[in-house]
């Protein structure tokens, strides 16, 4: 008799994952050859011709994620991923006010700015930077880490979704991986100042804030190690530094997990 494949089966080793399976981390996987679609916790993933895919995990991702592949014969394979939980630097300052009076003009401006940023992050280009070994865009003192948060007067502020690197104004920054520029100042943004957003393919994009100078324009391709601009203190910033953030779709990742140590910048 011809064996009948089960409609659904669990196989935690079906996808050959690599990466950092932790909150703020990522996974690069390889699908079985006859898979036609895949989801991560219900989120559909884009699949290139070679069957490789990438997914990411939020700052507060639960302890388990589920990858589901739909096969050509209609059956499904599920893999469960154990996501390591992290402890973040959370500071509570009861004496400071947690709420401010909104400024209607500022809110109108921020709505427009967020729309531009969101539109840039939804662009999808044919680039394979997501699967390269990433390098640091600049090296220096880490002044802000991913996941940190302040609670002012009992009101939680937004967590810090990136890495801050404090270096002198004018220090060059480079692309950590190949990609396409999808947004670049001018004009400046009210919070971010001069910024650059790079699409690295498969829903992975990176952002660089507070720049004093921007050397790339939207639509241009950049290669790993190519200069993109210079560090500054534009926008809402208390001193010269680069804020570097990485997204996979709408999930904020920890850029430090994509790179080696700073001493390895530029290494293959």
């Amino acid at each position: 008799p011809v064996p009948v494949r089960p409609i659904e089966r669990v196989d935690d080793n079906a996808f050959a994952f690599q990466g950092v399976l932790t909150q703020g981390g990522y996974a690069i996987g390889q699908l079985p050859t006859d898979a036609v679609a895949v989801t991560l916790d219900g989120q559909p993933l884009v699949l290139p011709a070679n069957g490789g895919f990438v997914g990411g995990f939020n700052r507060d991702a639960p302890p388990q994620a589920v990858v589901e592949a739909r096969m050509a014969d209609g059956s499904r394979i599920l893999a469960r991923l154990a996501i390591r939980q992290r402890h973040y630097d959370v500071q509570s300052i009861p004496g400071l006010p947690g709420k401010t009076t909104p400024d209607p003009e500022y809110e109108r401006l921020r709505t427009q700015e967020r729309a531009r940023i969101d539109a840039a992050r939804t662009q999808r280009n044919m680039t394979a930077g997501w699967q390269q070994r990433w390098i640091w865009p600049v090296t220096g003192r880490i002044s802000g880490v991913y996941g940190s948060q302040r609670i002012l007067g009992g009101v939680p502020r937004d967590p810090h979704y990136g890495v801050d690197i404090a270096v002198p104004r004018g220090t060059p920054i480079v692309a950590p991986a190949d990609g396409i520029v999808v947004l670049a100042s001018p004009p400046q943004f009210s919070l971010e100042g001069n910024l650059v957003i790079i699409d690295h393919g498969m829903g992975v994009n990176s952002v660089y804030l507070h720049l004093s100078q921007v050397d790339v324009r939207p639509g241009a391709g950049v290669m790993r190690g190519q200069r993109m601009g210079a560090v500054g203190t534009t926008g809402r910033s208390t001193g010269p530094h680069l804020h570097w953030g990485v997204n996979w779709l709408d999930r904020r990742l920890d850029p430090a997990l994509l790179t080696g140590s700073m001493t390895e910048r530029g290494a293959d």
Side-chain angles (χ1 to χ4, degrees):
V2 177
V4 178
R5 294 185 62 178
I7 295 176
E8 178 178 295
R9 64 187 175 93
V10 177
D11 183 352
D12 294 340
N13 299 311
F15 300 96
F17 290 110
Q18 300 178 9
V20 185
L21 304 183
T22 185
Q23 292 174 322
Y26 68 100
I28 294 177
Q30 186 71 30
L31 288 176
T33 55
D34 55 345
V36 295
V38 63
T39 62
L40 172 61
D41 289 333
Q43 172 68 56
L45 308 186
V46 180
L47 303 182
N50 64 4
F53 67 94
V54 63
F57 312 104
N58 275 324
R59 172 189 184 269
D60 301 312
Q64 180 174 284
V66 176
V67 178
E68 178 181 320
R70 181 167 57 85
M71 313 305 287
D73 63 1
S75 64
R76 296 181 297 163
I77 300 177
L78 278 66
R80 301 161 302 185
L81 304 181
I83 306 303
R84 183 174 64 85
Q85 306 293 282
R86 299 172 63 177
H87 297 284
Y88 301 107
D89 179 16
V90 178
Q91 301 177 358
S92 179
I93 308 176
L96 293 181
K99 296 182 179 180
T100 59
T101 303
D103 179 348
E105 178 60 24
Y106 172 77
E107 291 300 323
R108 184 191 65 81
L109 174 62
R110 281 304 290 168
T111 298
Q112 296 175 351
E113 292 178 342
R114 291 191 190 100
R116 291 187 62 202
I117 293 172
D118 291 344
R121 284 177 164 156
T122 59
Q123 294 189 37
R124 301 289 181 264
N125 294 279
M126 296 299 294
T127 177
W130 62 274
Q131 60 186 346
Q132 289 179 313
R133 181 182 179 186
W134 287 36
I135 61 175
W136 286 87
V138 68
T139 59
R141 180 177 63 87
I142 300 294
S143 58
V145 296
Y146 174 89
S148 60
Q149 186 180 28
R150 288 185 173 181
I151 302 174
L152 304 182
V155 179
R157 307 300 293 267
D158 288 339
H160 187 246
Y161 290 119
V163 174
D164 289 345
I165 308 164
V167 291
R169 184 182 186 279
T171 303
I173 67 164
V174 302
D178 295 356
I180 304 295
V181 180
V182 292
L183 185 60
S185 294
Q188 288 191 28
F189 289 71
S190 55
L191 295 184
E192 298 84 0
N194 290 320
L195 67 77
V196 172
I197 298 180
I198 305 296
D199 175 21
H200 300 282
M202 298 289 284
V204 178
N205 57 74
S206 58
V207 61
Y208 311 84
L209 307 184
H210 310 305
L211 304 182
S212 63
Q213 178 179 332
V214 174
D215 298 329
V216 294
R217 291 293 175 262
V222 293
M223 298 182 66
R224 189 183 71 156
Q226 177 181 333
R227 175 172 172 148
M228 298 190 299
V231 172
T233 186
T234 56
R236 187 171 295 179
S237 168
T238 58
H241 73 283
L242 174 69
H243 173 93
W244 176 30
V246 176
N247 276 28
W248 173 72
L249 302 180
D250 62 348
R251 303 184 185 185
R252 307 288 187 89
L253 310 185
D254 185 350
L257 298 178
L258 297 169
T259 65
S261 68
M262 281 193 177
T263 59
E264 296 173 352
R265 174 177 161 175
D268 291 323

